[in-house]
Amino acid sequence: MKNFNGTVLFLDRSDINTDEIIPAKYLTEITKEALKPYLLEDLNMDSFDSNTDLEGKQVVITRENFGCGSSREHAPWAFEVNGLYMVIAESFARIFRQNMFNCGMMAIALPKETIERIFLTFSGKETTIETDLEKNIFVVQGGGEKMEVPFTVSDYDRSLVEAGGWLEFADSKY
Amino acid sequence: MGKTIAEKIFDKHFVDNPSGDIHVIKLDAVFCHEITTPVAINDLVSRGKDRVYDASKIKAVIDHVTPAKDSKTAAQGKIVRDWARRQGIKDFFDIGRNGVCHAIFPEQGFVRPGYTIIMGDSHTCTHGAFGAFAAGVGTTDLEVGILKGVCAFQYPLSIKINVTGKMPEGVFAKDVILAIIGRLGVNGATNRVIEFAGPVVEAMSMEARMTLCNMAIEAGGTCGICRPDMTTVDYLWKYIRDDFGSKAAALETYSEFLPDADAEYENIIDIDVSNMEPMMTVGFKPDQIKPVSEMVGEKVDQVYIGSCTNGRIEDLRAAAAVLKGNRIDDNIRGIVSPATPSIYNQALEEGIIKIFMDAGFCVTNPTCGACLGMSNGVLAEGEVCASTTNRNFNGRMGKGGMVHLMSPATAAATAIAGKIKNSSMYKGA
Ligand code: SF4
């Protein structure tokens, strides 16, 4: 199972699409590793630089409808090869969310107010998250503040994360 | 309680309910193209699972970058080609026979009412036009589909969109779907099936229904879906005539998938098209919509007519009707990509290709082409394309480029004017 703890990358925008996460021109790559330098290269957001801002980050916190657009699993892979295994958002596009769990990664939706509170308290500060998968709680810490945030993950999604993805799960079961 | 089309299809294909509202369903077809399938094939090979569940149910095409533009795209094509041979996949469409996936697969009769289909491509929702459940998936789902013939989805909730009124001349399915996306927003249908109903949809051709369903994903929808009817049967007749004694018998069978009168929808939205104007997008999100009349005169550098949204024969006919006898503006680069070889052929026979060429368009082979800025028709920084495609994301057609989505008629009129303009087919509300 992957590790869901680490330093947070805040992306304060809704509707971040898969073309922004990994531009179509890199879909000619046939290995995941080759995607590494291009994550979020075309992100349309002021004050974000994919060359410097991804350094040392393991978890993304963002707003609504994250990962909309194309079905490309290259989007979760681009996160994966950069060591980012979890995205927390207000909501996700269906295919992106499924792709994350299918790869044994996590895409967790939290209520709008909670996301807003996290942004207000921690955005701009060096922030870390610890994920307690037994109690279903995130412990968010930064700038002297600490917040415990409960989350839900369905039994099915959890079994995908534990199995390391849908392929092994399905092949053994169907 | 009654059932929607999607619910009826799910119940018929039920395999397992591993937890909550997750249903694993059996697949009638798995579609593949050369951008998302090679990674799936390589992964299956590396896991020692290089098998397919049923070679006759897998359909594959090389369409995004064809002919190959460099060594990397050549390698992607080769992986799919070698795999199709190795696995005995007969329905594989390579160069000379290939076209845009969501145009060529329906044209070949691979989609039937009641089918379940997945593909590693978000616009797989197009095939719902036939009363099928068709959804885009990522690589892992695709791998499992190829290997086991199953896929897991949330049991489908549906939104019904009733399209009523009289379509004004010069207003097309593309304008209707843009208006619907404007109303729903880019995530207004996330995890939902959009069922398109009402007299306007019933009167639409299969081509127009495919244009509608194609863009369901732009509102976040899992699938767009239309009720199977005589128009569906007529379109499919040459492929199904051996299975049924008459068209009426085919319709009777397919009626199994009509929604019940008391089916439950999460939401029902009525849209009256009688006063609808031709629409276009104006930003980097497909729900940023304005009537073309409010954008008249805005700058354009390139006009692209094609794609799985609007590269079918009706689309080329509409554009040609506007272009006939005209030349496009000197400052415009016009590109048209008929979506499949048979559409290309038909357009040749009808004199449509000549109209495009006389007008100054570049006619390419059937391909996704400029739609996703991977091969031909890439924009330079700061350039604008008036396009009949389905996605206007930032950088979609090239870094720093802007894409305005619109109907083929509007795109053709814009090419002639050299800037945004309503087509001569539209006479006003
Ligand atoms: S035409 Fe465009 S949207 Fe359609 S399948 Fe090709 S790249 Fe995707």
Side-chain angles (χ1 to χ4, degrees), chain B residues 33 63-64 100-102 119 121-124 126 214 218 304 306-309 367-374 389-391 396:
Chain B
H33 66 52
D63 61 351
H64 278 58
V100 178
C101 50
H102 309 306
M119 177 172 198
D121 191 285
S122 63
H123 295 100
T124 307
T126 312
N214 176 269
E218 306 308 332
Y304 183 62
S307 86
C308 57
T309 324
T367 172
C368 294
C371 176
L372 83 169
M374 272 185 90
T389 54
N390 47 35
R391 217 160 247 174
R396 172 79 178 178

Side-chain angles (χ1 to χ4, degrees), chain B residues 53-358:
Chain B
Y53 81 111
D54 182 342
S56 72
K57 291 184 174 167
I58 296 180
K59 318 288 176 185
V61 66
I62 294 177
D63 61 351
H64 278 58
V65 185
T66 178
K69 64 167 176 166
D70 56 16
S71 313
K72 282 183 175 169
T73 51
Q76 286 183 306
K78 180 169 162 45
I79 292 170
V80 175
R81 190 178 296 121
D82 290 350
W83 171 72
R85 282 191 194 130
R86 181 164 85 234
Q87 299 293 350
I89 297 164
K90 299 226 167 49
D91 294 313
F92 167 57
F93 299 85
D94 206 341
I95 198 154
R97 299 200 303 136
N98 59 358
V100 178
C101 50
H102 309 306
I104 200 161
F105 292 146
E107 190 185 88
Q108 295 288 328
F110 298 154
V111 187
R112 308 284 167 80
Y115 265 25
T116 50
I117 300 168
I118 61 164
M119 177 172 198
D121 191 285
S122 63
H123 295 100
T124 307
C125 51
T126 312
H127 309 286
F130 291 80
F133 175 83
V137 297
T139 308
T140 307
D141 277 338
L142 179 68
E143 283 180 49
V144 172
I146 288 170
L147 191 62
K148 311 297 285 188
V150 298
C151 194
F153 291 96
Q154 254 179 37
Y155 194 68
L157 281 171
S158 296
I159 297 173
K160 177 152 104 174
I161 306 210
N162 253 326
V163 191
T164 61
K166 188 176 179 301
M167 283 276 265
E169 226 180 297
V171 174
F172 297 88
K174 180 63 161 286
D175 303 303
V176 175
I177 189 63
L178 287 175
I180 290 172
I181 294 163
R183 180 125 161 222
L184 289 172
V186 286
N187 61 348
T190 300
N191 258 321
R192 307 289 182 265
V193 170
I194 306 178
E195 192 176 306
F196 297 102
V200 172
V201 179
E202 281 161 30
M204 279 182 183
S205 65
M206 286 315 298
E207 284 82 356
R209 293 179 195 182
M210 285 190 255
T211 303
L212 275 189
C213 292
N214 176 269
M215 292 191 72
I217 183 72
E218 306 308 332
T222 306
C223 182
I225 219 163
C226 297
R227 299 169 182 214
D229 61 8
M230 204 39 111
T231 306
T232 323
V233 171
D234 283 337
Y235 184 99
L236 290 173
W237 186 239
K238 65 178 168 195
Y239 299 106
I240 60 175
R241 65 189 324 152
D242 291 343
D243 302 339
F244 298 102
S246 65
K247 288 185 179 178
L251 185 59
E252 165 92 31
T253 300
Y254 293 149
S255 297
E256 177 191 346
F257 298 105
L258 291 179
D260 293 324
D262 58 344
E264 276 207 32
Y265 296 92
E266 190 191 49
N267 194 2
I268 299 179
I269 299 171
D270 291 306
I271 300 229
D272 186 334
V273 298
S274 303
N275 294 311
M276 190 176 280
E277 292 186 40
M279 308 297 271
M280 62 182 282
T281 59
V282 298
F284 290 130
K285 293 200 301 168
D287 61 354
Q288 294 171 302
I289 306 289
K290 276 191 183 171
V292 175
S293 61
E294 288 178 24
M295 291 290 287
V296 170
E298 292 287 324
K299 128 183 169 138
V300 171
D301 302 288
Q302 174 168 299
V303 171
Y304 183 62
I305 298 178
S307 86
C308 57
T309 324
N310 283 124
R312 299 188 181 80
I313 190 69
E314 277 187 6
D315 303 313
L316 303 189
R317 282 182 193 137
V322 174
L323 288 174
K324 191 164 188 182
N326 291 295
R327 286 224 23 115
I328 64 175
D329 188 84
D330 284 346
N331 296 313
I332 293 282
R333 310 187 297 269
I335 305 172
V336 56
S337 303
T340 69
S342 83
I343 293 167
Y344 198 137
N345 243 322
Q346 178 87 26
L348 266 176
E349 277 169 23
E350 294 182 20
I352 289 171
I353 297 296
K354 179 151 172 49
I355 293 173
F356 271 108
M357 294 194 74
D358 289 348

Side-chain angles (χ1 to χ4, degrees), chain A residues 15 17-20 24-25 27-31 41-44 64-65 68-74 77 91-95 98-99 102-103 154-156 166-171 173-174, chain B residues 15-16 18-19 22 24 35 39 47 49 51 72-73 76 79 120-122 135-141 143-144 147-148 152-153 186-187 190-191 217 222 284-285 372 374 391 393-394 396 399:
Chain A
D15 303 317
N17 66 61
T18 49
D19 278 82
E20 293 177 291
K25 60 175 182 253
L27 302 186
T28 57
E29 300 296 347
I30 46 181
T31 65
E41 183 183 88
D42 276 355
L43 180 62
N44 188 20
E64 268 187 274
N65 197 30
C68 60
S70 123
S71 65
R72 65 190 68 151
E73 205 155 304
H74 306 68
W77 296 338
S91 60
F92 293 93
R94 177 190 65 87
I95 305 176
Q98 194 62 54
N99 286 344
N102 281 350
C103 292
S154 74
D155 294 347
Y156 174 66
W166 164 235
L167 189 88
E168 296 302 331
F169 181 91
D171 198 29
K173 208 159 167 218
Y174 301 111
Chain B
V15 174
D16 188 22
S19 98
I22 302 293
V24 174
I35 299 299
V39 266
R47 290 171 193 260
K49 298 181 196 289
R51 306 184 297 269
K72 282 183 175 169
T73 51
Q76 286 183 306
I79 292 170
D121 191 285
S122 63
V137 297
T139 308
T140 307
D141 277 338
E143 283 180 49
V144 172
L147 191 62
K148 311 297 285 188
F153 291 96
V186 286
N187 61 348
T190 300
N191 258 321
I217 183 72
T222 306
F284 290 130
K285 293 200 301 168
L372 83 169
M374 272 185 90
R391 217 160 247 174
F393 293 163
N394 180 33
R396 172 79 178 178
K399 200 176 175 83

Side-chain angles (χ1 to χ4, degrees), chain A residues 69-86:
Chain A
S70 123
S71 65
R72 65 190 68 151
E73 205 155 304
H74 306 68
W77 296 338
F79 282 116
E80 186 180 8
V81 294
N82 279 283
L84 288 126
Y85 300 142
M86 180 163 69

